[in-house]
Amino acid sequence: MPSPVFISREGGQETPASTNKNAKMYDRNVFETTDREDEYGIGGYAIDDPKVLSNVAPCCGQTTTVNGEAATVVGQDSKASGATNTSTPMESRWTIRRSELYSIQAVRSNDCFEDRDRGPLYKGQIFKDKKPLKYDVGMYALTERFEWKVKRSTKTRFVTTCKNNNCEWVIRADKLKNGTHWHVKSFVKEHTCINDDNYNMQFSRDAPIRPKDIFTEVREQHNINLKYNRAYRSKNHTLNTAFGDPWESFKRLPEFFYMLEQSNPETVTKIETNSENRFAYGFMSLGASIAGFNEVIRPVIAIDATHLKAKTRGVLLVTACKDGNEMIYPLAFGFANSECTESWTWFLSQLRNVIVDPKRVMIILDRHTSIIGGMVEISPDATHGFCAYHLAQNLRKMCKQRDDVIKLYYRATYTYCIEEFEREMAELKDTHRKCYNNLLEIGIEKISRVRSPKRRYKMMTTNISESMNSCLLAIRKLPIASITEFISDLLQRWFHDRRTNAREMSTYLTRFKVDDKWTDTIVDLEQRFCSCRQWDLDELPCIHVMVVARLKGMPMTALCSDFYTTGWLKHAYSMIMNPVPKPETWNIPDEIHHRIILPWEKKRLIGRPKKSRIPSAGEFRK
């Protein structure tokens, strides 16, 4: 019997179909659909296209019949061997392109269709390479609920059997000569071993997280003993299938940023690369957050960074503030290879561009040297203060966990009254001189509420940025492109829910609660001043102002800042965040689509990757 080969069209004209009855013997479902000629060399047709599959003829040098006339197939084989065409003239010539990609080995036609309708594997099946063959064998074993093992695997042969050595189930596949395809030579489908069928058992609703959970559940549900490394690879394969490869996700970032800007006006995104086109920094701030902060949000922001846990590693830079209802209001996010002065300098420069009036902004941060170095580089005169909690943890080390010293520090930091601040600092000086001198070196204006050159509005810590990091804890293991998509979806839900809640509020103020002890104070309603300084610094009336306002018959709401009003809260969430369309509907410009973004270089550390950070002094693991 002649050997089958694939025939393409020549000169733009479609080649007539062969009348040979044995021509159609390859399975069309085992080849992938493609329109690229350079991949399969089939002149613009896909392998599974019926037009191409019909153009199957005997190999070069064999005689066939075309339109009732005898003809010899002319191709690379016949030309190489010096064969000549001795037949009568033909209306069309058969031409074999890229014949080295396909095997000229003969395959019996009765093998190709044997057991075809009885399962995903059958005798005579053709695979384009070895990888899909192994995948189909694994999926078949999982579907049939049995364990299998590879008995032999070489460049030309693949043999797999049942794990039970006495079982006759076996699959033998060979690589076709002069080609890349694999052919299932024999397949014994029936098992002669005892196999418990757990077909009706299903996985639990909650997806397992650890490889240990995977192989434990597979053993319980399917009676299959799965090794740890295979469970680990299965988990990573599933994550890559769902969220994409971590290293390849950098290429999708420019397209997603472009669609995010198109869906949400005034959104600011930017990607910085180095001389080798490797990703260096990324910045993202949605237009709704920018407009709300510049118009109706208190000008105090907290910045912090958290480490990413994917294979590519890196850090996520977070900037957040508070709305009038004391809820987290995210402003901007950034990505960098590491938390260093260069990354914070670039991120703060982008953040400065989205803020209308940077001089009125108060920045709260921890005492990380890279953040301080970035602020000095970008804006040396920028007003900033340190997180009271992080500073307290440093003092605990210095005073060896003395609670009396920490209480004096907190009272001096949180007080509204200058006299009380001076009194607490003097007592701290007598109690622990070293801690007192350390606070003076840091700067009193950076740690005290009452000595701060700008209002801190009760934001004495970076707790809101830490809380934002906790909201993103579950996605830090995902690729960078998936993280940006999750952040966008999260902000859309937050804005929608809070906009709905704000519309349902019927009061003038979002929340109004003042609690203080009675002391001798001076209140001036016209100058909006109280000697306790609470009304001054928080722009909310203290109890002294409330008493005077009640005697004067003035409404309490008139004494509060507009930052706490329901109207400004509604305005903060009035701008709608639109979702990004599905990727199949994207219309990306060529300069963005063809932009080359390589992942940053990350050196693999020795040992097992850490999933949780080491707690600081005074902290406990959750």
mmCIF file of all heavy atoms in Angstrom, residues 383-400:
data_model
loop_
_atom_site.group_PDB
_atom_site.id
_atom_site.type_symbol
_atom_site.label_atom_id
_atom_site.label_comp_id
_atom_site.label_asym_id
_atom_site.label_seq_id
_atom_site.Cartn_x
_atom_site.Cartn_y
_atom_site.Cartn_z
ATOM 1 N N THR A 383 6.478 67.458 53.751
ATOM 2 C CA THR A 383 6.150 67.211 55.150
ATOM 3 C C THR A 383 5.780 65.745 55.335
ATOM 4 O O THR A 383 4.923 65.214 54.633
ATOM 5 C CB THR A 383 4.973 68.095 55.586
ATOM 6 O OG1 THR A 383 5.287 69.464 55.307
ATOM 7 C CG2 THR A 383 4.689 67.918 57.064
ATOM 8 N N HIS A 384 6.440 65.108 56.268
ATOM 9 C CA HIS A 384 6.147 63.712 56.542
ATOM 10 C C HIS A 384 6.296 63.437 58.032
ATOM 11 O O HIS A 384 6.987 64.158 58.748
ATOM 12 C CB HIS A 384 7.071 62.788 55.735
ATOM 13 C CG HIS A 384 8.517 62.879 56.116
ATOM 14 N ND1 HIS A 384 9.365 63.845 55.614
ATOM 15 C CD2 HIS A 384 9.262 62.127 56.960
ATOM 16 C CE1 HIS A 384 10.562 63.690 56.116
ATOM 17 N NE2 HIS A 384 10.534 62.647 56.949
ATOM 18 N N GLY A 385 5.627 62.395 58.467
ATOM 19 C CA GLY A 385 5.711 61.958 59.858
ATOM 20 C C GLY A 385 5.892 60.452 59.911
ATOM 21 O O GLY A 385 5.598 59.730 58.949
ATOM 22 N N PHE A 386 6.381 59.982 61.050
ATOM 23 C CA PHE A 386 6.658 58.572 61.206
ATOM 24 C C PHE A 386 5.505 57.856 61.900
ATOM 25 O O PHE A 386 4.747 58.456 62.678
ATOM 26 C CB PHE A 386 7.956 58.365 61.994
ATOM 27 C CG PHE A 386 9.177 58.862 61.271
ATOM 28 C CD1 PHE A 386 10.163 59.575 61.938
ATOM 29 C CD2 PHE A 386 9.345 58.611 59.918
ATOM 30 C CE1 PHE A 386 11.289 60.024 61.282
ATOM 31 C CE2 PHE A 386 10.465 59.062 59.246
ATOM 32 C CZ PHE A 386 11.435 59.764 59.927
ATOM 33 N N CYS A 387 5.412 56.572 61.591
ATOM 34 C CA CYS A 387 4.382 55.740 62.192
ATOM 35 C C CYS A 387 4.674 55.570 63.681
ATOM 36 O O CYS A 387 5.783 55.157 64.070
ATOM 37 C CB CYS A 387 4.336 54.389 61.485
ATOM 38 S SG CYS A 387 3.236 53.190 62.233
ATOM 39 N N ALA A 388 3.686 55.870 64.518
ATOM 40 C CA ALA A 388 3.881 55.780 65.970
ATOM 41 C C ALA A 388 4.096 54.343 66.422
ATOM 42 O O ALA A 388 4.862 54.085 67.353
ATOM 43 C CB ALA A 388 2.682 56.395 66.689
ATOM 44 N N TYR A 389 3.453 53.381 65.755
ATOM 45 C CA TYR A 389 3.582 51.991 66.172
ATOM 46 C C TYR A 389 4.974 51.446 65.853
ATOM 47 O O TYR A 389 5.606 50.803 66.706
ATOM 48 C CB TYR A 389 2.517 51.141 65.479
ATOM 49 C CG TYR A 389 2.638 49.668 65.756
ATOM 50 C CD1 TYR A 389 2.176 49.126 66.955
ATOM 51 C CD2 TYR A 389 3.240 48.813 64.838
ATOM 52 C CE1 TYR A 389 2.301 47.769 67.225
ATOM 53 C CE2 TYR A 389 3.372 47.461 65.092
ATOM 54 C CZ TYR A 389 2.894 46.947 66.295
ATOM 55 O OH TYR A 389 3.031 45.613 66.560
ATOM 56 N N HIS A 390 5.475 51.689 64.639
ATOM 57 C CA HIS A 390 6.805 51.194 64.292
ATOM 58 C C HIS A 390 7.881 51.825 65.169
ATOM 59 O O HIS A 390 8.850 51.161 65.558
ATOM 60 C CB HIS A 390 7.104 51.491 62.816
ATOM 61 C CG HIS A 390 6.372 50.601 61.866
ATOM 62 N ND1 HIS A 390 5.091 50.867 61.452
ATOM 63 C CD2 HIS A 390 6.743 49.440 61.261
ATOM 64 C CE1 HIS A 390 4.700 49.916 60.622
ATOM 65 N NE2 HIS A 390 5.669 49.045 60.482
ATOM 66 N N LEU A 391 7.699 53.096 65.491
ATOM 67 C CA LEU A 391 8.665 53.752 66.357
ATOM 68 C C LEU A 391 8.620 53.174 67.765
ATOM 69 O O LEU A 391 9.655 53.036 68.437
ATOM 70 C CB LEU A 391 8.388 55.257 66.384
ATOM 71 C CG LEU A 391 9.453 56.145 67.037
ATOM 72 C CD1 LEU A 391 10.811 55.931 66.389
ATOM 73 C CD2 LEU A 391 9.049 57.607 66.948
ATOM 74 N N ALA A 392 7.425 52.803 68.233
ATOM 75 C CA ALA A 392 7.304 52.196 69.558
ATOM 76 C C ALA A 392 8.006 50.844 69.615
ATOM 77 O O ALA A 392 8.605 50.481 70.643
ATOM 78 C CB ALA A 392 5.831 52.048 69.931
ATOM 79 N N GLN A 393 7.939 50.063 68.510
ATOM 80 C CA GLN A 393 8.635 48.778 68.488
ATOM 81 C C GLN A 393 10.148 48.959 68.570
ATOM 82 O O GLN A 393 10.840 48.152 69.215
ATOM 83 C CB GLN A 393 8.264 48.015 67.209
ATOM 84 C CG GLN A 393 6.784 47.759 67.040
ATOM 85 C CD GLN A 393 6.176 47.085 68.254
ATOM 86 O OE1 GLN A 393 6.670 46.083 68.752
ATOM 87 N NE2 GLN A 393 5.078 47.641 68.738
ATOM 88 N N ASN A 394 10.665 50.009 67.961
ATOM 89 C CA ASN A 394 12.098 50.285 68.073
ATOM 90 C C ASN A 394 12.471 50.700 69.491
ATOM 91 O O ASN A 394 13.546 50.325 69.994
ATOM 92 C CB ASN A 394 12.498 51.381 67.087
ATOM 93 C CG ASN A 394 12.314 50.942 65.645
ATOM 94 O OD1 ASN A 394 12.340 49.758 65.335
ATOM 95 N ND2 ASN A 394 12.110 51.908 64.767
ATOM 96 N N LEU A 395 11.613 51.470 70.135
ATOM 97 C CA LEU A 395 11.894 51.874 71.512
ATOM 98 C C LEU A 395 11.832 50.702 72.472
ATOM 99 O O LEU A 395 12.533 50.689 73.496
ATOM 100 C CB LEU A 395 10.908 52.959 71.946
ATOM 101 C CG LEU A 395 11.017 54.313 71.236
ATOM 102 C CD1 LEU A 395 9.969 55.285 71.770
ATOM 103 C CD2 LEU A 395 12.415 54.910 71.396
ATOM 104 N N ARG A 396 10.996 49.717 72.169
ATOM 105 C CA ARG A 396 10.922 48.534 73.034
ATOM 106 C C ARG A 396 12.266 47.802 73.092
ATOM 107 O O ARG A 396 12.664 47.279 74.134
ATOM 108 C CB ARG A 396 9.831 47.590 72.540
ATOM 109 C CG ARG A 396 8.416 48.064 72.831
ATOM 110 C CD ARG A 396 7.391 47.042 72.404
ATOM 111 N NE ARG A 396 6.043 47.498 72.626
ATOM 112 C CZ ARG A 396 5.390 47.391 73.789
ATOM 113 N NH1 ARG A 396 6.007 46.840 74.836
ATOM 114 N NH2 ARG A 396 4.163 47.830 73.919
ATOM 115 N N LYS A 397 12.949 47.731 71.964
ATOM 116 C CA LYS A 397 14.264 47.112 71.972
ATOM 117 C C LYS A 397 15.251 47.931 72.804
ATOM 118 O O LYS A 397 16.093 47.369 73.516
ATOM 119 C CB LYS A 397 14.790 47.002 70.535
ATOM 120 C CG LYS A 397 13.955 46.124 69.627
ATOM 121 C CD LYS A 397 14.562 46.100 68.230
ATOM 122 C CE LYS A 397 13.733 45.271 67.275
ATOM 123 N NZ LYS A 397 14.323 45.254 65.893
ATOM 124 N N MET A 398 15.115 49.251 72.691
ATOM 125 C CA MET A 398 16.061 50.118 73.370
ATOM 126 C C MET A 398 15.870 50.102 74.887
ATOM 127 O O MET A 398 16.846 50.126 75.655
ATOM 128 C CB MET A 398 15.916 51.547 72.831
ATOM 129 C CG MET A 398 17.007 52.504 73.246
ATOM 130 S SD MET A 398 16.810 54.106 72.459
ATOM 131 C CE MET A 398 16.929 53.621 70.726
ATOM 132 N N CYS A 399 14.619 50.054 75.324
ATOM 133 C CA CYS A 399 14.339 50.087 76.771
ATOM 134 C C CYS A 399 14.101 48.701 77.350
ATOM 135 O O CYS A 399 13.681 48.583 78.513
ATOM 136 C CB CYS A 399 13.142 50.986 77.056
ATOM 137 S SG CYS A 399 11.574 50.352 76.418
ATOM 138 N N LYS A 400 14.327 47.653 76.542
ATOM 139 C CA LYS A 400 14.175 46.267 76.995
ATOM 140 C C LYS A 400 12.766 45.987 77.500
ATOM 141 O O LYS A 400 12.561 45.485 78.610
ATOM 142 C CB LYS A 400 15.207 45.942 78.075
ATOM 143 C CG LYS A 400 16.650 46.065 77.582
ATOM 144 C CD LYS A 400 17.652 45.711 78.665
ATOM 145 C CE LYS A 400 19.071 45.836 78.127
ATOM 146 N NZ LYS A 400 20.080 45.496 79.177
#
